[in-house]
């Protein structure tokens, strides 16, 4: 049994879906559980839809029509026969969305978000599964919400391992007795009250890892538009290098610091069961890619992770008391309550600095909470550079034309919070 994951870019149009079919034909020679994300940029569009609905920002009908046209045009190219039942299935998803949108919001933003945004994965998997069946790649579509059980932390569902394990063992695994390929959704889960949750943006990798864990899979392959894990994001750097092999430890460090190639939560379930993870190109599916597995070979290629749109907070106790255990504990409680992930931190006697993604839906409430007890200064629009396996030359090169605000290093990792030096450009 193996698990494949195809992300949004790999199913962004009809040709891409055909390419997925050709990969499955060639590489799915044994029982394969296929996890698929929403097509292309659908999740962003659905977020716009939720904002239009909840905050009355934008026009619901326009966004809905765009989503429908996009999916139908892909489906029409894949399955021209409009009498095919997939058309009905897709229509039903949109009818239900429309019904939900006609009601006034009755719950929290995050709750509505999950009920609506999850439909991107439902649409994608229905189209792909239907098309594959039409072309002779027999498969069964299943609803991930019946297996990945979470609590009701909307937009950040916490997985109930015990219950999910039971459901997978009793109800999912037996399907392989009669089917070779199962198609399901990444990113989404279900609660005990039958609501939908999502696992955090880009969470489909995590779903693939969880399902591999619950099914004791022999391997996971994440199919991407890059040749494997690179030492830097090609969006920001030229001459990137592919890393052939990474340990779980290296991979978790890289993703934790923000390497966007795989979701940070992906590694733990795989490491816990010693399941190798391959990151491969869906454009060149026969190439080697990167393998992440248990090994004593350490990777020592310098890797850089560059994060823009960061905010740096400097938190100071109002009464000039030290930043010691009590204050730190109060600060971390507020970060945890607001679900804010810290990218870097540093403390001095009376000030604690923290760098994180400037996501204003999370940062505003956090600031409000912090300001009750602390004086908070902040610096917006800063960048965070993390270098693993650093050397002096790399540090100098990467900090050229920048003002370094904070710098910190450990044995393998060097981090810099920086700002563009406007005088130098
Ligand atoms: N479709 C979701 C997102 O774009 C999940 C994923 O792609 O992994 O965030
Ligand atoms: Mg995506």
């Amino acid at each position: 049994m193996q698990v494949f994951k195809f992300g949004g870019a790999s199913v962004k149009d009809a040709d891409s879906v055909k390419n997925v079919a050709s990969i499955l034909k060639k590489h799915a020679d044994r029982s394969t559980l296929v996890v698929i994300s929403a097509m292309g940029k659908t999740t962003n569009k659905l977020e716009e839809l939720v904002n239009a609905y909840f905050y009355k920002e934008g026009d619901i009908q326009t966004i809905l029509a765009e989503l429908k046209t996009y999916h139908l045009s892909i489906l029409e190219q894949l399955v021209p026969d409009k009498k095919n039942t997939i058309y009905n299935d897709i229509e039903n998803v949109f009818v239900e969305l429309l019904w939900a949108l006609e009601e006034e919001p009755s719950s929290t933003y995050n709750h509505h978000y999950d009920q609506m945004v999850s439909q991107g994965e439902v649409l994608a998997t229905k189209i792909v599964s239907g098309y594959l069946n039409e072309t002779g790649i027999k498969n069964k579509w299943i609803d991930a919400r019946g297996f990945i059980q979470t609590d009701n932390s909307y937009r950040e569902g916490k997985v109930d391992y015990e219950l999910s394990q039971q459901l997978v063992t009793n109800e999912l695994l037996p399907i392989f007795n009669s089917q070779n390929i199962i198609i399901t959704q990444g990113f989404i889960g279900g609660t005990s009250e039958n609501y939908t949750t999502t696992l955090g943006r880009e969470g489909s990798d995590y779903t693939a890892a969880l399902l591999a864990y619950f099914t004791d899979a022999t391997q996971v392959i994440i199919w991407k538009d890059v040749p494997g894990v690179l030492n830097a994001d090609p969006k920001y750097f030229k001459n990137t290098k592919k890393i052939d092999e990474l340990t779980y430890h290296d991979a978790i460090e890289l993703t934790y610091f923000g390497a966007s190639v795989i979701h940070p939560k992906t590694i733990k379930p795989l490491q816990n069961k010693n399941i190798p993870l391959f990151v491969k190109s869906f454009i060149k599916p026969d190439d080697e890619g990167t393998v992440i597995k248990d090994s004593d070979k350490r990777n020592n290629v310098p890797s850089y992770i560059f994060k823009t749109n960061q905010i740096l907070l400097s938190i100071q106790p109002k009464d000039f008391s030290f930043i010691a255990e009590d204050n730190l504990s109060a600060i971390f409680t507020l970060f945890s309550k607001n679900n804010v992930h810290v990218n870097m931190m540093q403390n001095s006697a009376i000030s604690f600095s923290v760098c994180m993604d400037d996501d204003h839906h999370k940062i505003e409430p956090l600031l409000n909470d912090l300001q009750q007890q602390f004086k908070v200064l902040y610096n917006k629009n800063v960048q965070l550079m993390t270098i693993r396996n650093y050397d002096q030359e790399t540090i100098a090169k990467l900090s050229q034309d920048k003002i370094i605000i904070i710098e910190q290093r450990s044995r393998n990792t060097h981090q810099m919070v920086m700002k563009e030096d406007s005088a130098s450009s």
Side-chain angles (χ1 to χ4, degrees), residues 103-114:
E103 306 270 323
E104 277 301 305
S106 58
S107 177
T108 61
Y109 176 83
N110 289 352
H111 173 90
H112 287 293
Y113 177 105
D114 282 1

Side-chain angles (χ1 to χ4, degrees), residues 5 8 37-38 43 121 187 200-205:
K5 182 258 171 172
S37 315
T43 306
E121 269 64 18
F187 180 55
R201 285 301 306 264
E202 306 305 326
S204 295
D205 295 343

